[in-house]
Amino acid sequence: MMKRKAALAVGALAIVFGATVPAAAAPTTAASRTGTFYGTYQHADGCVYLRSAAGYHYLLEGYTMGGNGGLYKKGGGFIAYPGWKIAAHGTQYNKTSTTLCTTWGAYRRIKATSIYAY
């Protein structure tokens, strides 16, 4: 909130004095949304994903792949096999990082509080 107020103050001063404001002064926020996301469970490179109907792959944080290829909550608890329809309730966000998930990447992520097969 402080960054936003500071950026607004800089912008207001720039308008008053006729100066230009560099793009770096504008506040930036990561795109995120909360809700229930539907798709099918898929895995690649040892990473687990929800594949949406639009074809996007979302890395499922806090979940892992078992030896049988199934989706599990970390610490146990089977959820689904590849190809099963799943619903993930949580927050979707985008994060740029280095990862071993090279097939579909890890830019789009879902931090799910619960996932269930339907």
Side-chain angles (χ1 to χ4, degrees), residues 9-52:
V10 169
L13 287 173
I15 292 170
V16 170
F17 294 108
T20 60
V21 179
T28 58
T29 58
S32 67
R33 59 192 174 110
T34 301
T36 302
F37 305 93
Y38 298 92
T40 57
Y41 163 60
Q42 294 185 340
H43 64 81
D45 306 321
C47 301
V48 294
Y49 295 91
L50 178 147
R51 184 179 185 272
S52 70

Side-chain angles (χ1 to χ4, degrees), residues 66-89:
N68 61 0
L71 175 64
Y72 288 83
K73 183 174 179 114
K74 284 192 177 169
F78 173 78
I79 299 168
Y81 284 115
W84 285 17
K85 291 182 179 183
I86 60 172
H89 183 75

